[in-house]
Amino acid sequence: MNSGLSNSYIAVRIDEMVNASYVFSKIHESTGIFMDIKTLWGLRVQEYYRKMFRYYSIIGANVVYFFLIISSIFIYYFNLFLQWIPPQISVEVILSLFVTYILIQTKVRTFTKRADIMFLLPLDWGLKSYFIKSFIYNFVIDVIKLVSFITVFLSLFLHTPNINLPFLFFIVGIAAYNILMKWDEQWLENHVQFVLHRLNRFFSIYLTCYFLLKNNWIFALVLMSVNFVYLIYFIGKKRNLNWQWLIDEEESALLQNFKFINLFMDVPNLKRFFRNRRLLTLILKRCIPYSQSSTFVYLYSHLFVRYNDYFYLYLRLTLIGIFVNYAIPTSGWIFNLLILFMTGLQVIPLQHEIKQSALLYPISKSQINNSFLVFVLVILYAQLFILYFAMLIHTSTAKIYYLLIGSLFVYVFVYFFASKRVNVSGSTLKE
C-alpha cells in the first residue's frame, strides 16, 4: 500500500472512530454481546459483589473478630474521652462531629469503568435510569450507616435508644442531602468552589445533626428546608455528566475497599500513590549505613516514606496515639499497644511493593526478609518512643515500665507474629 492510499485509509478510519456510538455498536457486534442499558446497572453490581464475596469468604472470620475487638476498644476509650471533655461541651456536640465525619467520607458509587468514557458517553441520554439506581443505592447505604451509628451511640452515651418516626424522617433527609451535595461536586469548576461547597456541606450536616440530637425539631426542619432549596436551585441547572469525576469516585471507593482487604490478605495490582519527600529521603541517607547488609532496609525505608498510603497511615495512627496519651494518660499505655499492633499489621503488605528487578541484587532471600523485619522493628520503636514522650510531657504517670512493656511487645510482634507473614521473595519472585 503506497503512502497516498495509506493516508486516505487512515483518514477514513479516523472519521469512523470519531463516531463513538459506531465504535460501541461495532464492538458489541464483533463479540456477539447485546448489552441492554436497562440491565447494565444490575450486571455491574452483581460483578462487584461476586468479586467482594470471593475476598470476604476467605477473610470473613478475621474481619468479624477485627471489628469486635476494635469496636470494643473504641467504645471504651470514647467513653473515657467523653468523661475527660469539659462539662460545658455537650455529648451532642461530639456525636454530631462523628456523624458528620462519617457522612463527609461518602463516595458516590456508580460502578462505572474507565472504558465507559468511550463506549457509554454517546448513550448519556439513555442512562438516566442507571444513575437513578446508583443514587438510590448510595442513599440506602448512607441511611443504614446513619441508623446503625446513631442507634448504638444514643444507647451507649445518651441513654435514649428510642428512634421515632420524625427522627427517621430527619435521618432520611440528612442522607439524601449528603448524597446530593456529593453528587454536585462533579460540576464545581475550581478549588475555591470546592472548598466553599465542602464547608457548606459540613456545617449544614453538623448543625442539622446537632439540633436533631438536641430534639430541636423546628431548627432542624428549617435548616434542612433551606438546604434543599439550595440543592433544587443548584441541581435545576442542566449540565452534562462529568464522567471523569464519576470514574475517579468509583476507583477511589474500590481502592478503599481493597486497602481494607489488604490488611488480611495480599490484593494483587493494588493502585498506589507516591510523593517525593526530599527532606525525609535526605535524613534516611544519613541515618542508614552504606553497606550491603543495609541495602533492603534502605529500599524499604524509601518505599515507606514515599508511598502515601503507608506514610499517612503511620502519621495518622501516631497523632491519634499522641492525642489519647494527652487526654487519657492513665490508660494511654494500653492504647499504645493497640496503635503499635495496628501500625505493624498494616505495614506488613509493604513487603510486596518492592519491584522484582530489585530482587536480582545478590543478597540471600533470608537476608531480604530479615531486612524487612528490621525496618518494621525500627519504625515501631520510633512510634513507641514518640507516644511515650507524649505521655511523659503531660503527666508523671509515664513510668519506665510502660516503655519496657511496649518495647517487649514490639519485639514479640515483629519476630513472632510478623516474621511468619513475611516472605518477600515468595510473593514476587518465583523459585
Side-chain angles (χ1 to χ4, degrees):
M1 184 181 289
N2 60 35
S3 177
L5 289 174
S6 176
N7 290 337
S8 62
Y9 176 79
I10 293 172
V12 170
R13 298 306 300 165
I14 290 175
D15 288 338
E16 290 179 345
M17 291 288 289
V18 169
N19 189 348
S21 60
Y22 173 84
V23 177
F24 183 81
S25 62
K26 289 296 180 186
I27 290 290
H28 288 282
E29 286 174 10
S30 63
T31 56
I33 298 173
F34 176 75
M35 181 172 289
D36 187 355
I37 295 300
K38 293 181 180 179
T39 62
L40 178 61
W41 189 86
L43 293 173
R44 291 278 176 89
V45 173
Q46 289 176 21
E47 178 188 358
Y48 167 75
Y49 277 103
R50 275 199 300 267
K51 184 186 294 184
M52 291 299 106
F53 179 77
R54 286 200 299 269
Y55 282 115
Y56 282 100
S57 62
I58 299 172
I59 65 172
N62 293 331
V63 172
V64 172
Y65 297 144
F66 176 82
F67 273 113
L68 285 175
I69 294 170
I70 296 299
S71 301
S72 303
I73 294 172
F74 173 77
I75 290 171
Y76 171 75
Y77 276 99
F78 188 76
N79 190 37
L80 292 179
F81 171 71
L82 292 179
Q83 295 172 13
W84 171 79
I85 60 174
Q88 295 84 359
I89 302 176
S90 63
V91 176
E92 289 83 359
V93 171
I94 307 299
L95 291 183
S96 300
L97 276 175
F98 269 90
V99 172
T100 306
Y101 175 78
I102 289 173
L103 290 178
I104 287 293
Q105 303 304 312
T106 296
K107 300 289 183 183
V108 174
R109 301 299 309 273
T110 53
F111 305 99
T112 50
K113 299 181 179 181
R114 195 152 291 277
D116 292 344
I117 293 180
M118 178 179 291
F119 298 132
L120 293 185
L121 186 59
L123 303 175
D124 202 332
W125 54 270
L127 293 171
K128 184 176 180 180
S129 62
Y130 179 96
F131 289 109
I132 289 176
K133 290 175 183 176
S134 297
F135 175 82
I136 294 172
Y137 172 86
N138 288 282
F139 168 72
V140 170
I141 295 296
D142 261 16
V143 169
I144 292 172
K145 284 195 300 187
L146 264 179
V147 171
S148 304
F149 180 86
I150 290 179
T151 301
V152 170
F153 276 78
L154 287 183
S155 303
L156 290 174
F157 304 113
L158 290 181
H159 308 293
T160 55
N162 294 327
I163 297 180
N164 49 30
L165 191 60
F167 197 92
L168 282 175
F169 167 77
F170 277 103
I171 288 178
V172 169
I174 291 171
Y177 172 77
N178 179 58
I179 291 296
L180 288 171
M181 287 291 281
K182 182 66 179 178
W183 180 262
D184 289 345
E185 287 183 6
Q186 66 180 295
W187 296 305
L188 300 178
E189 297 176 356
N190 53 58
H191 185 67
V192 174
Q193 288 185 1
F194 177 79
V195 171
L196 293 175
H197 186 84
R198 273 291 177 97
L199 287 174
N200 179 25
R201 180 179 163 206
F202 177 86
F203 284 110
S204 298
I205 294 174
Y206 173 76
L207 291 173
T208 305
C209 290
Y210 175 76
F211 290 135
L212 182 61
L213 294 175
K214 280 287 191 179
N215 291 323
N216 291 329
W217 306 97
I218 301 299
F219 287 107
L221 183 61
V222 169
L223 186 60
M224 187 176 291
S225 301
V226 171
N227 290 333
F228 274 103
V229 168
Y230 166 78
L231 274 175
I232 291 170
Y233 167 76
F234 194 85
I235 296 177
K237 299 178 181 180
K238 190 174 182 179
R239 300 179 179 87
N240 293 325
L241 292 172
N242 186 341
W243 280 88
Q244 188 60 50
W245 183 88
L246 294 173
I247 291 168
D248 289 343
E249 277 289 300
E250 179 63 25
E251 289 183 347
S252 177
L254 280 173
L255 184 62
Q256 284 185 352
N257 209 337
F258 285 135
K259 282 181 182 177
F260 176 75
I261 295 171
N262 201 50
L263 297 177
F264 306 95
M265 62 179 291
D266 185 32
V267 178
N269 303 321
L270 189 61
K271 188 178 180 181
R272 301 291 188 189
F273 298 94
F274 67 92
R275 181 181 175 186
N276 291 325
R277 296 179 170 89
R278 298 177 185 237
L279 179 61
L280 291 175
T281 301
L282 184 63
I283 293 172
L284 287 176
K285 287 181 179 179
R286 294 183 179 275
C287 293
I288 300 175
Y290 186 77
S291 64
Q292 188 180 36
S293 60
S294 302
T295 301
F296 278 85
V297 175
Y298 179 80
L299 287 176
Y300 284 121
S301 301
H302 271 268
L303 281 175
F304 172 72
V305 165
R306 290 179 176 178
Y307 272 122
N308 289 345
D309 297 337
Y310 296 104
F311 183 76
Y312 288 137
L313 165 77
Y314 185 82
L315 196 61
R316 281 195 302 268
L317 289 175
T318 304
L319 290 175
I320 291 171
I322 291 172
F323 176 77
V324 170
N325 278 289
Y326 179 82
I328 317 163
T330 54
S331 303
W333 70 275
I334 302 175
F335 192 79
N336 289 348
L337 301 182
L338 175 65
I339 291 289
L340 292 168
F341 178 78
M342 291 179 65
T343 302
L345 183 66
Q346 296 183 68
V347 165
I348 289 175
L350 181 65
Q351 63 179 307
H352 304 304
E353 302 295 342
I354 201 100
K355 288 187 177 180
Q356 187 170 346
S357 57
L359 297 173
L360 299 176
Y361 196 82
I363 289 182
S364 65
K365 297 176 183 178
S366 61
Q367 193 171 350
I368 295 174
N369 292 338
N370 188 61
S371 295
F372 182 76
L373 293 177
V374 170
F375 157 75
V376 176
L377 188 74
V378 170
I379 64 169
L380 291 184
Y381 273 139
Q383 189 177 51
L384 172 64
F385 282 112
I386 292 170
L387 297 177
Y388 180 78
F389 186 70
M391 187 188 299
L392 189 64
I393 290 176
H394 181 61
T395 177
S396 59
T397 58
K399 299 176 183 178
I400 191 66
Y401 67 79
Y402 292 161
L403 186 61
L404 294 175
I405 292 173
S407 301
L408 180 63
F409 176 82
V410 169
Y411 185 86
V412 171
F413 173 84
V414 171
Y415 288 107
F416 291 90
F417 179 82
S419 61
K420 297 178 181 178
R421 291 159 176 79
V422 173
N423 185 16
V424 176
S425 57
S427 61
T428 56
L429 186 63
K430 291 182 181 180
E431 298 289 345

